Amino acid sequence: MIGRAVARVSRRAIEHNCTVLSERLGGSELCAVVKANGYGHGAQAAADAAVAGGATRLAVATAAEAAALRSDVPVLVMGALTRTDLDTALAARADVVAWTGEFVDAIAARGVPARVHVKLDSGMGRLGTKDPREASALCDRIAAAEGLDLAGLMTHFATADERGDDHFPGQLARFTELVDDVRRRHPGVTVHAANSAAVLRDRTAHFDMARCGIAVYGLDPFGQDPAEHGLQPALELTSYVAAVKRFEPGDSAGYGRTWTAKEPTRVGVLPIGYGDGWRRALSNNAEVLVRGRRHPLVGTVSMDNVTIDLGSDTDVAVGEEAVLIGAQGGERILAEDVARRLGTINYEVTTGLLPRAERVEA
Ligand SMILES: *Cc1c(COP(=O)(O)O)cnc(C)c1O
């Protein structure tokens, strides 16, 4: 499909990536993380494909995300919840996470059945209790409370994507100690810690379940090439050449005249811009594929348009497809490449695509 700003999402790729992750996990469950609109891919489509690929659970960050999801498998809300959020999450029959006694009491006071996961902050310095004894006591309290089910014990790694660092093993050791203690009293609890990077990095971090986001979408948690792990990128971002114009030396393209032609050339105009999530920091700092060839993005990215240098002897015609993320001919541009140019991570590239970029099934 030719369109102005099209994010083509492959369910088959998501399914494949979940199969790859499930195989890595051996007997441990795969929980596919579909927060933030499935990292920009579309939450429901991603969830359906992930379950088809072997995910037995889903996770989101917010109560509203859980309420919007249709799912036959359990959904975990990982984030902090206001009392209103808690009502929304429980009404959606989602699992919730607790790390204080007050919050456990608030859940119990709702008087509805609830599945609760206890979170240890083993070194992320974010959500969770830092005290393993408190975490252990919360587990006992939940297990004893009427209507509450101790569903999980969890932590989250800060540096799983930095191979060879020594913070990760420290976090893993602190968490494992708590796990051994809690499992003795609550053998049925589902223990989970690993994100995508941890799954690929260390088998001993797999426990009963892993919470994978980025790898589900075929993006590399280490920011390199997803193919190294057998992962297939699930999203392509395309536009089309809406105009081709002749440029003489000194002619400029776009706001602020940040690029001027040095010699005669032809410039293609693509009707996609930062209003679609193709960031302005990519001005004079990106490549685009047309006819299987790389062309530099020239000039300033505006809200609705970008310009590319097609060269003086181009045969590119109006109406042809342009690929900003994805493969064409023998060339490909990864979200990881775009992230590097922006000084950010692949997560932010796809999650940053805005609603105006139309999501279609590949
Ligand atoms: C987002 C998130 C994940 C998924 O991390 P990836 O690096 O995308 O695999 C796992 N756990 C928690 C708590 C998260 O917030």
Side-chain angles (χ1 to χ4, degrees):
M1 188 194 107
I2 292 284
R4 195 189 59 74
V6 180
R8 215 177 281 146
V9 176
S10 165
R11 290 189 187 222
R12 220 164 345 118
I14 291 174
E15 243 181 273
H16 163 86
N17 297 327
C18 287
T19 306
V20 168
L21 290 166
S22 294
E23 277 168 11
R24 279 281 190 139
L25 283 167
S28 307
E29 283 187 76
L30 172 62
C31 172
V33 180
V34 298
K35 62 191 178 187
N37 195 28
Y39 292 43
H41 294 64
Q44 191 63 52
D48 294 345
V51 170
T56 52
R57 312 243 200 150
L58 299 170
V60 292
T62 74
E65 288 174 332
L69 208 55
R70 280 167 286 109
S71 166
D72 295 330
V73 302
V75 176
L76 167 65
V77 181
M78 301 185 292
L81 302 171
T82 65
R83 297 303 187 257
T84 310
D85 294 336
L86 176 59
D87 289 333
T88 305
L90 295 179
R93 299 182 185 283
D95 292 16
V96 297
V97 183
W99 52 86
T100 67
E102 298 82 76
F103 193 68
V104 170
D105 290 345
I107 303 169
R110 294 307 189 269
V112 297
R115 293 165 45 85
V116 187
H117 300 238
V118 171
K119 183 164 194 178
L120 176 74
D121 177 4
S122 59
M124 176 67 157
R126 225 172 52 178
L127 302 178
T129 171
K130 289 177 79 162
D131 181 359
R133 280 165 310 174
E134 185 180 21
S136 183
L138 286 172
C139 288
D140 296 345
R141 191 155 159 184
I142 292 162
E146 189 162 358
L148 302 195
D149 182 7
L150 176 64
L153 177 63
M154 66 187 286
T155 193
H156 191 39
F157 296 113
T159 57
D161 57 340
E162 295 169 32
R163 275 189 269 221
D165 84 296
D166 53 12
H167 188 68
F168 175 87
Q171 277 200 268
L172 185 54
R174 276 189 288 284
F175 182 60
T176 304
E177 207 172 301
L178 172 68
V179 168
D180 293 343
D181 161 48
V182 170
R183 263 190 181 146
R184 263 188 299 258
R185 279 168 292 122
H186 308 287
V189 69
T190 298
V191 175
H192 49 108
N195 57 2
S196 300
V199 167
L200 298 174
R201 166 178 173 158
D202 190 342
R203 292 182 59 86
T204 64
H206 291 183
F207 296 103
D208 302 319
M209 178 173 99
R211 306 180 306 268
C212 294
I214 199 78
V216 163
Y217 305 99
L219 301 169
D220 183 9
F222 306 100
Q224 307 294 314
D225 185 347
E228 282 173 30
H229 309 287
L231 301 170
Q232 296 172 358
L235 182 142
E236 293 200 331
L237 180 66
T238 65
S239 181
Y240 74 99
V241 179
V244 177
K245 53 204 347 168
R246 188 197 297 271
F247 268 48
E248 299 303 334
D251 286 349
S252 65
Y255 286 117
R257 308 192 71 218
T258 63
W259 179 84
T260 48
K262 305 224 166 10
E263 50 207 58
T265 188
R266 283 177 200 256
V267 166
V269 183
L270 317 180
I272 185 171
Y274 64 78
D276 304 292
W278 187 253
R279 299 259 306 275
R280 192 170 179 274
L282 295 165
S283 299
N284 292 301
N285 184 28
E287 288 178 323
V288 176
L289 307 178
V290 185
R291 285 240 182 138
R293 286 191 298 263
R294 289 176 180 272
H295 300 283
L297 190 160
V298 293
T300 303
V301 173
S302 43
M303 192 182 290
D304 316 311
N305 293 284
V306 302
T307 37
I308 60 176
D309 187 359
L310 293 167
S312 56
D313 56 352
T314 186
D315 47 4
V316 168
V318 166
E320 290 194 51
E321 184 182 68
V323 175
L324 293 90
I325 298 173
Q328 196 189 51
E331 295 284 349
R332 56 172 203 168
I333 295 169
L334 296 171
E336 287 79 2
D337 299 327
V338 177
R340 218 165 292 126
R341 289 176 178 275
L342 286 169
T344 184
I345 52 177
N346 45 8
Y347 295 70
E348 202 183 22
V349 172
T350 59
T351 306
L353 293 176
L354 297 174
R356 202 178 73 177
E358 190 185 357
R359 269 57 166 193
V360 304
E361 219 178 294

